Amino acid sequence: MADTLAGPAPEVPDAVPEFPMPRAGRCPFDPPPALKGLQGEAPLTKVRLWDGSEPWLVTRYAEQRAVLGDPRVSADTDRPGYPTKASPGAGDGKLSFIMMDDPEHARLRRMVTAPFAIKKVEALRPAVQRIVDGLIDDMLAGPQPVDLVEAFALPIPSLVICELLGVPYDDHAFFQDNTKTMVHRDATPEQRGRASREVAGYLAGLIGRRLAEPKDDLLSSIAARITAGEIDHQQATEMALLLLIAGHETTANMIALGTLALLENPGQLALLRKTDDPQLVASTVEELLRYLNITHLGRRRAVTEDIEIAGQVIKAGEGVIMVNEIANRDPEVFPDPDRLDITRDARRHVAFGFGVHQCLGQPLARMELQVVYGTLYRRIPTLKLACDLQDVKFKHDAFIYGVHELPVAW
Ligand code: HEM
């Protein structure tokens, strides 16, 4: 053997970087430096996942949109080449239409689109304002410091999605705990499966009750599709599960992480605090979505026919990952991308994805965040972090980035 004749073979540097990569400890809002390095090098590169597979990573904004808008890429996790999830055993189950392709994806999505239309969502704004004001009243009346995640960030989207779906908010501790397990990167497949089955069983029960006794809520309109023979009980449950999870975990993380980002950028916070211009509040929301990128592990797809991206052919059966985190920091599209600037026009960001799977709930998320960012710092102008930034626990371990807790005082 060559080893015995000429000593051990020299180590060949590993050219394919591992994904996901760690963030730099001192920059919790920035993408991992190695990821930005890859963006600077090429629009497309191979990465290695935990199981040894090597999908393509698309690093730049234009190319990410090209792939996500291409009907020859599939969101179906069963397709050959679909990149495995971020950790062993993660997300093996199908979560309704987010993991399907057209025409079935479109057929199911259409069934639940109506309540998320801009007009419908705007009609909810006064109710969301009341929720936000009520939670701030409670915080102001209670002891300090308070955990902003528990007292404010989680209840707002949970209350709203419960109201829309017709899920009793009194059960929020049950589904929030289970959702936390479902999106925890280090949860075992068994833990994740159990949590998902618990919530699914609970929702299936609620849908069953709506079949017998419909109400004026989204679960009842989903149940009506079962009655009409368009979907079965299982499909209805998966759809409700998708809406419940997507509807609260994401927005809650944007509220807490966004607040922290503003507290760490006092100049920007001062601008926001003193404005009564709804346009500036709206642009703050877009900029924070661009800057923070809470769905930090990327859109994943399998390529079903050969496609050419930036001169490189991605073959049918290969996997591809689009990390919006670096697309939204692409200097070609967002000048000085690492600066949080609430006055910039960030509306082209891809924090809600792109293409047919673009976030269904984005009008709702936007409205909730506008109410929050337009209210919290004006009503509590002295809001401050009640611990050192180094002591804040970031959700490196979750599919959706954010903070586990945010102790604040005023
Ligand atoms: C700030 C909050 C939110 C962020 C950052 C966010 C982000 C995203 C992203 C990136 C996708 C695309 C996934 C993909 O292409 O694979 C998506 C899809 C989706 N989101 Fe959101 N989301 C948010 C809030 C919400 C809310 C409030 C709902 C309400 C129920 C919701 C429901 C959905 C659904 C149903 C899909 C699947 C759409 C489809 O596959 O056609 N999201 N979201």
Side-chain angles (χ1 to χ4, degrees):
M1 263 171 45
D3 269 14
T4 47
L5 291 176
E11 261 186 34
V12 180
D14 190 358
V16 180
E18 304 233 335
F19 181 82
M21 293 132 180
R23 291 177 193 250
R26 66 203 144 66
C27 297
F29 306 118
D30 286 347
L35 210 47
K36 292 198 74 189
L38 291 179
Q39 183 182 59
E41 281 167 24
L44 222 67
T45 186
K46 287 262 184 168
V47 287
R48 178 164 311 136
L49 303 186
W50 60 271
D51 65 347
S53 62
E54 293 186 357
W56 290 98
L57 183 89
V58 184
T59 65
R60 295 184 191 157
Y61 179 92
E63 285 79 9
Q64 284 199 15
R65 288 186 17 144
V67 176
L68 286 170
D70 195 312
R72 295 166 297 175
V73 301
S74 167
D76 182 346
T77 47
D78 291 336
R79 288 267 187 182
Y82 186 93
T84 44
K85 286 289 174 184
S87 61
D92 292 333
K94 289 241 164 173
L95 199 52
S96 191
F97 55 86
I98 197 168
M99 293 175 181
M100 293 178 189
D101 297 328
D102 287 346
E104 186 62 356
H105 157 264
R107 185 180 82 89
L108 296 182
R109 177 172 165 135
R110 260 197 310 273
M111 291 179 192
V112 288
T113 304
F116 299 102
I118 292 178
K119 252 194 175 163
K120 288 266 185 192
V121 164
E122 277 309 310
L124 294 176
R125 193 181 281 265
V128 173
Q129 185 69 57
R130 277 195 298 278
I131 291 173
V132 169
D133 279 325
L135 290 168
I136 294 175
D137 289 342
D138 292 347
M139 281 200 298
L140 289 172
Q144 303 182 40
V146 61
D147 173 17
L148 194 84
V149 174
E150 199 66 37
F152 189 70
L154 258 176
I156 296 164
S158 303
L159 275 159
V160 175
I161 197 69
C162 282
E163 184 62 30
L164 263 179
L165 279 168
V167 169
Y169 183 70
D170 285 350
D171 296 336
H172 71 280
F174 159 77
F175 64 75
Q176 276 168 6
D177 284 352
N178 281 301
T179 307
K180 228 185 247 174
T181 307
M182 288 166 73
V183 298
H184 201 288
R185 239 158 83 178
D186 293 335
T188 63
E190 291 73 31
Q191 289 169 326
R192 214 186 299 278
R194 199 177 318 120
S196 164
R197 280 192 300 279
E198 288 271 336
V199 187
Y202 166 80
L203 288 170
L206 287 180
I207 292 170
R209 271 182 258 158
R210 294 304 194 283
L211 281 171
E213 232 179 282
K215 294 187 177 180
D216 184 16
D217 56 34
L218 192 46
L219 283 184
S220 299
S221 49
I222 292 175
R225 303 287 178 159
I226 305 179
T227 312
E230 295 172 26
I231 47 173
D232 61 23
H233 209 120
Q234 167 84 15
Q235 288 171 306
T237 303
E238 284 167 6
M239 224 189 274
L241 187 62
L242 169 62
L243 295 172
L244 184 63
I245 296 172
H248 82 271
E249 187 65 29
T250 45
T251 314
N253 281 301
M254 268 307 297
I255 293 173
L257 193 65
T259 297
L260 182 58
L262 287 167
L263 291 173
E264 292 300 308
N265 286 272
Q268 298 293 302
L269 181 54
L271 275 183
L272 178 64
R273 202 187 282 124
K274 64 173 193 253
T275 189
D276 50 14
D277 176 6
Q279 284 313 321
L280 184 60
V281 175
S283 82
T284 302
V285 169
E286 300 311 315
E287 173 65 348
L288 284 167
L289 285 161
R290 178 195 75 81
Y291 185 70
L292 296 172
N293 298 295
I294 54 164
T295 59
H296 62 152
L297 296 177
R299 319 270 68 76
R300 293 171 185 232
R301 301 288 191 267
V303 174
T304 59
E305 288 173 42
D306 292 5
I307 57 174
E308 193 179 321
I309 298 290
Q312 172 69 51
V313 175
I314 306 182
K315 296 213 183 70
E318 289 192 305
V320 58
I321 302 179
M322 275 68 55
V323 189
N324 49 284
E325 212 175 11
I326 43 173
N328 283 338
R329 300 286 186 106
D330 186 337
E332 290 289 318
V333 186
F334 303 102
D336 198 1
D338 296 333
R339 192 160 60 88
L340 178 72
D341 174 4
I342 63 170
T343 64
R344 85 161 82 216
D345 183 358
R347 282 175 297 179
R348 280 171 301 164
H349 67 72
V350 283
F352 288 122
F354 185 74
V356 292
H357 288 281
Q358 199 176 100
C359 181
L360 172 71
Q362 58 184 292
L364 180 61
R366 284 199 159 101
M367 184 272 283
E368 290 177 319
L369 294 173
Q370 286 166 5
V371 174
V372 165
Y373 292 138
T375 309
L376 179 63
Y377 323 105
R378 280 156 62 94
R379 286 210 47 204
I380 316 185
T382 53
L383 190 80
K384 58 175 191 274
L385 190 59
C387 67
D388 287 338
L389 182 62
Q390 302 89 280
D391 295 331
V392 174
K393 289 198 177 58
F394 289 88
K395 291 186 175 175
H396 299 292
D397 49 357
F399 296 114
I400 299 170
Y401 191 57
V403 289
H404 287 285
E405 285 169 11
L406 194 66
V408 292
W410 46 88

